[in-house]
Amino acid sequence: MLSLLCGALALSAAQAEDAPYAMRAAPAPMPGALDLGFMTQAPNRKFKRRVDLSAITRADDLAVVKAAINPVLVFFQVTGAVRQPAHAIRMVTTRNGELALLKPPRVNDYNYFLARRLWNWTVHDAQTISLTVEFVGLSNTQHHYSNTYVFVERYGTWLFDRHVL
């Protein structure tokens, strides 16, 4: 009787494919798998596609990255434009970061190389992370440029501080 009742509640395989998305059973999470659902959420949803978090293996490190990712992406959006207000850099860097910032090569009068891949994320402590960024020009024939960026949490947000630890 119990198996009959359980079978009535479960959808058959054919019915499950036809069921609306909300009615489908979510796949069971893998043991030890990290929840990267925030990577598909706004803001910066399209820019997050360039982020590779494969180096993050612990849940507490992922929590730090989750808090830092949007301010880090805003930093690369702000610093990617050649012509920007004078105060824009100060809003996304510490004083040390403002002095130490090495910008990628220029593509043209308006843009620097584009941040194509943000990878090798490392959480050093709850207030310090580093990552490597690969920049590319507008065409595949231009050379690639990469650099390491260190961000620190200050004043409730994440700010660029230096290039090396």
Side-chain angles (χ1 to χ4, degrees):
M1 178 75 170
L2 183 60
S3 64
L4 186 61
L5 180 60
C6 291
L9 294 176
L11 295 173
S12 69
Q15 289 173 328
E17 287 184 22
D18 295 335
Y21 185 76
M23 290 180 58
R24 294 182 190 164
M30 299 283 294
L34 299 175
D35 179 22
L36 298 176
F38 69 94
M39 295 295 288
T40 60
Q41 298 171 354
N44 303 311
R45 185 174 53 238
K46 289 183 180 178
F47 201 171
K48 288 178 185 174
R49 292 180 193 158
R50 303 175 192 172
V51 175
D52 176 6
L53 295 179
S54 61
I56 301 298
T57 57
R58 297 180 16 205
D60 54 340
D61 289 349
L62 183 64
V64 173
V65 169
K66 184 177 180 179
I69 195 161
N70 288 322
V72 167
L73 296 181
V74 167
F75 167 80
F76 288 107
Q77 291 169 342
V78 167
T79 59
V82 172
R83 298 178 186 181
Q84 57 200 349
H87 68 280
I89 293 293
R90 290 187 203 108
M91 293 176 61
V92 294
T93 64
T94 62
R95 177 70 176 137
N96 183 54
E98 184 180 354
L99 298 173
L101 180 61
L102 301 173
K103 293 189 176 184
R106 280 186 178 199
V107 172
N108 53 32
D109 289 339
Y110 302 102
N111 297 302
Y112 289 103
F113 273 32
L114 308 169
R116 182 178 90 177
R117 182 174 168 220
L118 292 82
W119 58 289
N120 197 24
W121 291 69
T122 306
V123 176
H124 301 281
D125 58 49
Q127 288 84 30
T128 308
I129 62 169
S130 65
L131 63 137
T132 303
V133 181
E134 180 182 12
F135 297 91
V136 295
L138 296 176
S139 70
N140 290 335
T141 59
Q142 293 175 319
H143 68 279
H144 296 266
Y145 170 81
S146 63
N147 205 341
T148 300
Y149 292 80
V150 178
F151 290 85
V152 295
E153 185 180 24
R154 299 282 189 273
Y155 319 112
T157 191
W158 288 84
L159 304 171
F160 168 73
D161 190 56
R162 57 194 179 274
H163 285 284
V164 292
L165 285 174

